[in-house]
Amino acid sequence: MIVFIDRQHAGKPHKINDRGASRDLNGDGEITAEELEAIWTARLAVELEIKLYDKGVKVMPLSDGKYSARHARVNEYAELHPGPWVYLALHLNSGGGEYGSYFYDSRSTKGQQLATMMAKKLKEGVEHIDTAKAIPAKADDWTKNAFYTIRNVGRPVAICCEPFFMDTHQRLLSIPGMASIATTMVNALLDWRQIHE
């Protein structure tokens, strides 16, 4: 299995110190919600990559260019290498929601299966997240932003991962918090791989 890990960015390269502390990315003297999302999403990507490598899973990080360009690179690589492949668009949410979300392309049955497995693991494995959802993403309803992040991915199974809301789940804004979320995602990916390899 090959996992493509994509992450949002705030216009400049992410800066995370060795304690995972937040930094002002654009030099304006304050850390905005957008910057905080980018910083902690990057931390989640690091944790996820480490844990996948530890399990012998090949990881390909992505973080630059428009989504269409990233998707094209993923599709080109997938055409040349054996699968299964999974594309993860990672995001954290500012705001006060109580749940975690894994969006899948509404046309993808494998995507639905993986998103459901991820949501189940998140609910079971991460303290403070009581509800987790697998949500079909479409171009013409409230899920269109999530759909935009995965819509051009072809053969790989594509998931938009939004595991928690930062304002509600502030205790998860830590290295142990990111590690606990990454663990649930890796476990779901490994379970899904058993079905499709």
Side-chain angles (χ1 to χ4, degrees):
M1 177 167 66
I2 298 170
V3 177
F4 303 91
I5 300 178
D6 203 347
R7 57 186 170 88
Q8 68 189 49
H9 56 88
K12 289 187 177 183
H14 303 300
K15 298 177 183 177
I16 301 176
N17 67 23
D18 58 1
R19 295 173 181 255
S22 303
R23 293 188 184 182
D24 175 17
L25 297 181
N26 62 8
D28 66 357
E30 64 181 53
I31 298 173
T32 65
E34 181 183 40
E35 288 172 326
L36 211 61
E37 289 175 18
I39 290 162
W40 285 109
T41 299
R43 183 71 229 187
L44 177 58
V46 168
E47 291 292 336
L48 189 55
E49 185 173 351
I50 290 169
K51 291 181 184 305
L52 285 167
Y53 271 125
D54 284 347
K55 297 294 184 180
V57 177
K58 185 171 183 178
V59 177
M60 298 193 67
L62 300 163
S63 65
D64 60 308
K66 294 181 178 180
Y67 277 113
S68 58
R70 300 183 212 183
H71 296 165
R73 292 202 304 273
V74 168
N75 292 334
E76 181 179 353
Y77 188 91
E79 286 294 324
L80 300 174
H81 297 83
W85 320 266
V86 175
Y87 172 86
L88 302 176
L90 299 182
H91 299 264
L92 301 182
N93 287 322
S94 56
E98 297 288 342
Y99 55 89
S101 302
Y102 290 96
F103 294 89
Y104 61 92
D105 189 324
S106 58
R107 303 163 294 184
S108 171
T109 55
K110 287 183 181 178
Q112 180 181 19
Q113 182 185 56
L114 178 57
T116 300
M117 294 169 83
M118 285 184 155
K120 184 174 185 281
K121 294 283 188 189
L122 184 71
K123 183 178 176 182
E124 293 172 350
V126 178
E127 191 176 0
H128 314 301
I129 296 180
D130 298 325
T131 304
K133 304 174 181 179
I135 302 172
K138 304 175 183 178
D140 57 357
D141 65 11
W142 68 275
T143 64
K144 62 186 176 182
N145 287 338
F147 185 71
Y148 176 76
T149 70
I150 59 177
R151 67 179 175 179
N152 294 318
V153 177
R155 295 172 68 188
V157 169
I159 305 292
C160 178
C161 309
E162 299 182 355
F164 69 92
F165 288 84
M166 296 190 307
D167 296 355
T168 302
H169 304 101
Q170 292 181 12
R171 295 185 203 180
L172 294 176
L173 294 177
S174 64
I175 292 175
M178 296 298 104
S180 66
I181 293 167
T183 296
T184 66
M185 293 175 68
V186 168
N187 289 340
L189 285 163
L190 294 176
D191 288 351
W192 184 87
R193 179 178 68 175
Q194 283 190 325
I195 297 169
H196 294 285
E197 273 192 341

